[in-house]
Amino acid sequence: MSVTSRYRDAWEGFWREAPDEPGAVFWDAGPERTAAVHLALFEPYLTAADLPLVDLGCGNGTQTRFLADRFPRVIGVDLSGAALDRARAADPDGRAAYRVLDAADKTDAEALHADLGDANVYVRGVLHQCEPDDRQRLVDTVATLLGERGRVCLVELAEAAKPVLMGLAADPAGPPAKLAPIFRHGIAPGEVTDAAVPEYLRAAGLTVVTSGELPLVTTEHTADGTRIELPSRWYVAGRTA
């Protein structure tokens, strides 16, 4: 089963309209604040660092390009072709490869695994943006891509992030400029409880190796100039501990 056309269209519309300049998208913080931080947590638990790395939900490829300098083969995948067009344009030397993937579609996941073999996976802030019925399917896709040897670094907004986002959205002056397009395109962050994420991993046949909490850095600031950081939780998981 694949995602609804409404959801796909929402992401296509978002990425077609998003400004091109670095940091213009709410979550598109520089790798030194995002992927580099997560990689330091992830690398000690990789049991097969030579596997391909899949950046699932890569968007415009900001983190993908960083990861491509640190792993032998990196593939950025996303539901949105418009996002991948941007990723390719920003990577003229082809440091990474890019591929459309419907992460809720079992057939798509199996086809990618057949091409790559087992892979490590990085996924940041994607689960909470999925429609509820697609969340387990997305984690099942992660498990398919991992195979027997891969491990995933999954970073997800914590429950405590929702009141922060809702507070920003309800500001009398309107939501911050970089947050407004997310709501306008109908891809406002949904609810994923802290307890649900390890259950999704367990149901997909994965074991949580380690986990923790840290702020998820955005590119937006409050009216007083404070950078907006959202509570998040991170997990490293694989077939076995």
Side-chain angles (χ1 to χ4, degrees), residues 26 163-172 174-176 179 183 221-222 228 230:
F26 183 71
V164 177
L165 289 166
M166 293 303 101
L168 293 168
D171 190 292
L179 186 59
F183 290 100
H221 298 76
T222 60
I228 296 171
L230 301 173

Side-chain angles (χ1 to χ4, degrees), residues 93-168:
D93 296 329
R95 285 181 284 168
Y98 303 93
R99 176 166 171 166
V100 172
L101 178 77
D102 179 348
D105 190 307
K106 182 179 179 181
T107 301
D108 272 12
E110 290 173 342
L112 182 55
H113 183 260
D115 288 348
L116 298 179
D118 290 358
N120 294 311
V121 176
Y122 175 60
V123 51
R124 176 180 66 103
V126 176
L127 193 60
H128 75 275
Q129 295 175 345
C130 293
E131 296 183 348
D133 289 347
D134 289 333
R135 291 172 190 157
Q136 185 63 61
R137 285 192 277 265
L138 182 141
V139 180
D140 291 345
T141 283
V142 169
T144 296
L145 297 177
L146 298 184
E148 295 302 319
R149 296 193 297 146
R151 288 206 161 157
V152 60
C153 178
L154 187 154
V155 183
E156 193 52 55
L157 291 186
E159 283 180 54
K162 184 174 183 181
V164 177
L165 289 166
M166 293 303 101
L168 293 168

Side-chain angles (χ1 to χ4, degrees), residues 60-61 64-66 68-69 74 84-98:
N60 61 357
T64 319
R65 295 187 294 278
F66 170 86
D69 291 335
V74 173
L84 295 177
D85 287 344
R86 290 178 180 236
R88 293 185 184 99
D91 187 10
D93 296 329
R95 285 181 284 168
Y98 303 93

Side-chain angles (χ1 to χ4, degrees), residues 19-20 39 51 53 65 80 82 85 109 111 144-145 155 159 165 184 187 199 234 240:
D20 284 328
L39 188 58
L51 295 177
L53 179 78
R65 295 187 294 278
S80 169
D85 287 344
T144 296
L145 297 177
V155 183
E159 283 180 54
L165 289 166
R184 187 171 67 250
I187 50 177
E199 283 302 306
W234 58 272
T240 62

Side-chain angles (χ1 to χ4, degrees), residues 11 22 30 37 45 56 59 85-86 145 172-173 194-195 197 199 207 217 225:
W11 279 110
V37 176
Y45 298 96
L56 196 159
D85 287 344
R86 290 178 180 236
L145 297 177
D194 295 343
V197 179
E199 283 302 306
T207 299
V217 177

